[in-house]
Amino acid sequence: MLKKYLLYGIFGCLLVLVGCNKDEEEITSPSYADRNWFVIPDKPGEFNQLVYKIYAETGVPIFVSDTLGEEYYAKDAEGNPILRTEKFNLSYVMFGSTEDDRQGSTHYIVQSSDTPAMLKAAELIRNRVLPHVPKVGEALPKCYFLVDSLNENANLILPWSQLPCRIENKPLYVAMKGVVVGQLCDILQMTDEEIDLWCGRVIASKLVSWMLNGNMNMDLVKWYAITNEGTRDAYYNKAYASTASEYNFDVYKDMGMLGWYVDIPDVRATYTQEDDLIEYVARVYAYRGCEQEFLDRYADYDKVLRKFQMMQGFVNTFEEWWDLK
């Protein structure tokens, strides 16, 4: 009898062990995996085939809709399917605020319906942007989202008040889910020089993010210092009413910036540091091989020339780091 009870005990222990192993297997081996929304499917249509080919060759997805996809999730009480929709949310961030460097700034898009503009933008990204983008790593965009126009509602902070301001048709915005690339409404009419700058800014989008992610801190401090020479206050991300002395400054000579961020009768606003970096990186690529043209154009602006020459070195460092030479 004791022997029989002993066998029962051993058998029970084995069942417990098997049950534990089964539970452990279920915990470590999920029954499903999250869907990858950034896969470009093979679908008919000239544009669909182009972006599918780009994705197959490079792994970089290009979208023209903020709806990345839908999937069946469950059924309601009446048996109707419930679909989950994945959207390209410009305001999505993993931590912190959804606002960018300008207090209260919010971005809005107008999606494109112009197929020739979409085709040209995608071809430019394939031929003139992706060769300068790392194949892997943090400087590789999760995707490019092409839009007709990208607009910003911002509050410009003046010494005594806030001025609501709408900035129309911005070139790009770096969001958590990818790079939003604008100006498709203009791309078919752009000059060669404007196309060069458009491509340069798209290249610059994630390159600058990499620079700002702690990779070139000491170099950037010296670069920003050129802009702020001659002032006790930083020039970056400032708004000046028409009554302020800075409103009448020469933005190239006095600040070493390549334009005003906002330039309207009542107020002028300067770039953020990120904006300024993007504009200079764009020029490095736009003038590559014909740098003397840039030097001649801005020969009277010492700050611009020094910042451009330093930025050439920064871009070379980036390309060597990611083996893009």
Side-chain angles (χ1 to χ4, degrees):
M1 182 67 68
L2 181 61
K3 190 175 186 179
K4 183 167 77 172
Y5 286 137
L6 184 59
L7 288 173
Y8 285 155
I10 294 172
F11 183 68
C13 291
L14 289 173
L15 287 175
V16 170
L17 289 173
V18 170
C20 291
N21 288 338
K22 184 176 181 181
D23 290 342
E24 183 179 347
E25 181 180 350
E26 288 175 353
I27 292 171
T28 57
S29 304
S31 59
Y32 64 92
D34 289 338
R35 176 176 170 181
N36 183 357
W37 297 99
F38 292 87
V39 173
I40 299 295
D42 183 0
K43 297 195 301 185
E46 187 177 6
F47 179 77
N48 290 332
Q49 283 296 298
L50 174 60
V51 295
Y52 172 72
K53 184 177 181 181
I54 293 172
Y55 177 76
E57 292 173 351
T58 68
V60 177
I62 297 174
F63 299 104
V64 290
S65 171
D66 65 350
T67 300
L68 303 183
E70 292 182 333
E71 69 175 353
Y72 169 78
Y73 181 71
K75 289 183 179 180
D76 62 18
E78 298 179 355
N80 299 313
I82 300 173
L83 299 178
R84 183 169 78 88
T85 303
E86 183 72 11
K87 305 281 284 187
F88 190 109
N89 184 352
L90 271 68
S91 299
Y92 172 78
V93 293
M94 189 170 294
F95 303 105
S97 170
T98 60
E99 298 174 353
D100 68 7
D101 288 343
R102 299 184 188 278
Q103 185 174 352
S105 177
T106 307
H107 287 83
Y108 301 92
I109 60 167
V110 177
Q111 297 189 62
S112 179
S113 59
D114 187 342
T115 301
M118 297 176 194
L119 289 167
K120 182 168 184 177
E123 288 169 351
L124 286 170
I125 287 176
R126 176 186 62 186
N127 299 333
R128 298 186 54 182
V129 172
L130 292 180
H132 303 286
V133 173
K135 302 297 184 287
V136 295
E138 61 183 299
L140 175 68
K142 196 173 183 66
C143 73
Y144 291 108
F145 177 22
L146 308 179
V147 300
D148 184 79
S149 61
L150 171 66
N151 309 304
E152 177 186 358
N153 286 346
N155 286 324
L156 302 180
I157 310 301
L158 296 166
W160 59 88
S161 66
Q162 294 185 9
L163 177 68
C165 183
R166 184 169 175 85
I167 297 96
E168 302 283 351
N169 204 18
K170 292 181 60 177
L172 59 87
Y173 176 68
V174 182
M176 189 77 177
K177 289 191 173 182
V179 178
V180 185
V181 182
Q183 300 182 337
L184 264 66
C185 59
D186 297 329
I187 200 166
L188 296 178
Q189 290 78 41
M190 285 182 181
T191 64
D192 290 343
E193 181 180 8
E194 290 169 338
I195 287 291
D196 290 344
L197 286 176
W198 187 89
C199 293
R201 291 184 181 109
V202 180
I203 296 169
S205 57
K206 289 297 288 183
L207 190 160
V208 167
S209 296
W210 177 84
M211 292 170 66
L212 292 172
N213 198 29
N215 292 290
M216 302 187 70
N217 285 345
M218 297 303 296
D219 292 322
L220 291 180
V221 168
K222 297 176 183 177
W223 195 80
Y224 300 143
I226 296 175
T227 297
N228 294 323
E229 287 174 0
T231 180
R232 290 178 295 177
D233 192 13
Y235 284 130
Y236 286 111
N237 198 19
K238 295 292 175 62
Y240 304 110
S242 57
T243 54
S245 60
E246 291 89 348
Y247 180 90
N248 297 309
F249 278 10
D250 184 327
V251 71
Y252 301 99
K253 182 178 180 180
D254 296 318
M255 301 176 179
M257 296 186 191
L258 297 169
W260 295 97
Y261 187 72
V262 175
D263 188 1
I264 56 179
D266 295 332
V267 66
R268 283 174 168 166
T270 58
Y271 289 132
T272 64
Q273 291 177 338
E274 183 175 3
D275 294 331
D276 199 22
L277 288 167
I278 286 174
E279 290 303 312
Y280 270 91
V281 171
R283 265 67 175 189
V284 170
Y285 284 100
Y287 285 89
R288 180 162 280 180
C290 53
E291 289 83 358
Q292 192 60 45
E293 291 182 22
F294 183 92
L295 300 179
D296 292 341
R297 176 177 291 191
Y298 297 98
D300 295 330
Y301 306 110
D302 176 67
K303 285 188 176 183
V304 172
L305 296 183
R306 284 189 285 146
K307 288 172 67 175
F308 179 75
Q309 289 164 343
M310 283 187 70
M311 184 57 69
Q312 288 178 299
F314 297 166
V315 170
N316 287 336
T317 297
F318 173 83
E319 292 180 333
E320 290 170 1
W321 183 283
W322 294 103
D323 195 23
L324 292 170
K325 288 292 188 181

mmCIF file of all heavy atoms in Angstrom, residues 4-14:
data_model
loop_
_atom_site.group_PDB
_atom_site.id
_atom_site.type_symbol
_atom_site.label_atom_id
_atom_site.label_comp_id
_atom_site.label_asym_id
_atom_site.label_seq_id
_atom_site.Cartn_x
_atom_site.Cartn_y
_atom_site.Cartn_z
ATOM 1 N N LYS A 4 2.175 1.955 -3.337
ATOM 2 C CA LYS A 4 1.215 2.536 -4.279
ATOM 3 C C LYS A 4 1.072 4.036 -4.052
ATOM 4 O O LYS A 4 1.058 4.828 -4.991
ATOM 5 C CB LYS A 4 -0.136 1.836 -4.111
ATOM 6 C CG LYS A 4 -1.169 2.344 -5.120
ATOM 7 C CD LYS A 4 -2.380 1.432 -5.168
ATOM 8 C CE LYS A 4 -3.230 1.719 -3.932
ATOM 9 N NZ LYS A 4 -4.541 1.015 -3.994
ATOM 10 N N TYR A 5 0.993 4.427 -2.743
ATOM 11 C CA TYR A 5 0.883 5.866 -2.441
ATOM 12 C C TYR A 5 2.122 6.631 -2.908
ATOM 13 O O TYR A 5 2.046 7.783 -3.364
ATOM 14 C CB TYR A 5 0.673 6.081 -0.946
ATOM 15 C CG TYR A 5 -0.723 5.713 -0.493
ATOM 16 C CD1 TYR A 5 -0.920 4.993 0.684
ATOM 17 C CD2 TYR A 5 -1.830 6.121 -1.238
ATOM 18 C CE1 TYR A 5 -2.190 4.652 1.108
ATOM 19 C CE2 TYR A 5 -3.099 5.790 -0.814
ATOM 20 C CZ TYR A 5 -3.293 5.045 0.365
ATOM 21 O OH TYR A 5 -4.541 4.736 0.767
ATOM 22 N N LEU A 6 3.276 5.960 -2.761
ATOM 23 C CA LEU A 6 4.514 6.589 -3.201
ATOM 24 C C LEU A 6 4.512 6.828 -4.712
ATOM 25 O O LEU A 6 4.917 7.892 -5.201
ATOM 26 C CB LEU A 6 5.702 5.710 -2.805
ATOM 27 C CG LEU A 6 7.107 6.275 -3.101
ATOM 28 C CD1 LEU A 6 7.315 7.599 -2.380
ATOM 29 C CD2 LEU A 6 8.171 5.273 -2.683
ATOM 30 N N LEU A 7 3.999 5.875 -5.464
ATOM 31 C CA LEU A 7 3.902 6.025 -6.915
ATOM 32 C C LEU A 7 2.944 7.150 -7.283
ATOM 33 O O LEU A 7 3.204 7.943 -8.189
ATOM 34 C CB LEU A 7 3.439 4.701 -7.544
ATOM 35 C CG LEU A 7 4.480 3.573 -7.557
ATOM 36 C CD1 LEU A 7 3.843 2.272 -8.060
ATOM 37 C CD2 LEU A 7 5.662 3.958 -8.446
ATOM 38 N N TYR A 8 1.809 7.219 -6.551
ATOM 39 C CA TYR A 8 0.847 8.315 -6.802
ATOM 40 C C TYR A 8 1.495 9.682 -6.565
ATOM 41 O O TYR A 8 1.283 10.650 -7.293
ATOM 42 C CB TYR A 8 -0.378 8.163 -5.892
ATOM 43 C CG TYR A 8 -1.332 7.067 -6.309
ATOM 44 C CD1 TYR A 8 -2.163 6.459 -5.374
ATOM 45 C CD2 TYR A 8 -1.397 6.659 -7.650
ATOM 46 C CE1 TYR A 8 -3.044 5.462 -5.740
ATOM 47 C CE2 TYR A 8 -2.277 5.652 -8.017
ATOM 48 C CZ TYR A 8 -3.108 5.047 -7.063
ATOM 49 O OH TYR A 8 -3.968 4.077 -7.427
ATOM 50 N N GLY A 9 2.308 9.732 -5.481
ATOM 51 C CA GLY A 9 2.971 10.999 -5.157
ATOM 52 C C GLY A 9 3.946 11.421 -6.234
ATOM 53 O O GLY A 9 4.007 12.597 -6.629
ATOM 54 N N ILE A 10 4.741 10.452 -6.713
ATOM 55 C CA ILE A 10 5.702 10.756 -7.762
ATOM 56 C C ILE A 10 4.983 11.204 -9.037
ATOM 57 O O ILE A 10 5.365 12.177 -9.693
ATOM 58 C CB ILE A 10 6.594 9.534 -8.041
ATOM 59 C CG1 ILE A 10 7.471 9.238 -6.823
ATOM 60 C CG2 ILE A 10 7.461 9.759 -9.292
ATOM 61 C CD1 ILE A 10 8.241 7.935 -6.921
ATOM 62 N N PHE A 11 3.881 10.520 -9.357
ATOM 63 C CA PHE A 11 3.110 10.849 -10.565
ATOM 64 C C PHE A 11 2.520 12.262 -10.453
ATOM 65 O O PHE A 11 2.531 13.047 -11.401
ATOM 66 C CB PHE A 11 1.996 9.817 -10.744
ATOM 67 C CG PHE A 11 1.199 10.035 -11.996
ATOM 68 C CD1 PHE A 11 1.763 9.839 -13.256
ATOM 69 C CD2 PHE A 11 -0.125 10.445 -11.917
ATOM 70 C CE1 PHE A 11 1.015 10.036 -14.401
ATOM 71 C CE2 PHE A 11 -0.864 10.652 -13.058
ATOM 72 C CZ PHE A 11 -0.294 10.453 -14.315
ATOM 73 N N GLY A 12 2.053 12.616 -9.251
ATOM 74 C CA GLY A 12 1.485 13.952 -9.030
ATOM 75 C C GLY A 12 2.545 15.035 -9.195
ATOM 76 O O GLY A 12 2.295 16.098 -9.768
ATOM 77 N N CYS A 13 3.740 14.775 -8.659
ATOM 78 C CA CYS A 13 4.828 15.742 -8.800
ATOM 79 C C CYS A 13 5.186 15.961 -10.267
ATOM 80 O O CYS A 13 5.454 17.091 -10.700
ATOM 81 C CB CYS A 13 6.057 15.283 -8.035
ATOM 82 S SG CYS A 13 5.835 15.320 -6.238
ATOM 83 N N LEU A 14 5.195 14.859 -11.029
ATOM 84 C CA LEU A 14 5.493 14.974 -12.453
ATOM 85 C C LEU A 14 4.464 15.831 -13.172
ATOM 86 O O LEU A 14 4.782 16.652 -14.035
ATOM 87 C CB LEU A 14 5.568 13.580 -13.094
ATOM 88 C CG LEU A 14 6.782 12.739 -12.714
ATOM 89 C CD1 LEU A 14 6.652 11.313 -13.270
ATOM 90 C CD2 LEU A 14 8.063 13.390 -13.236
#
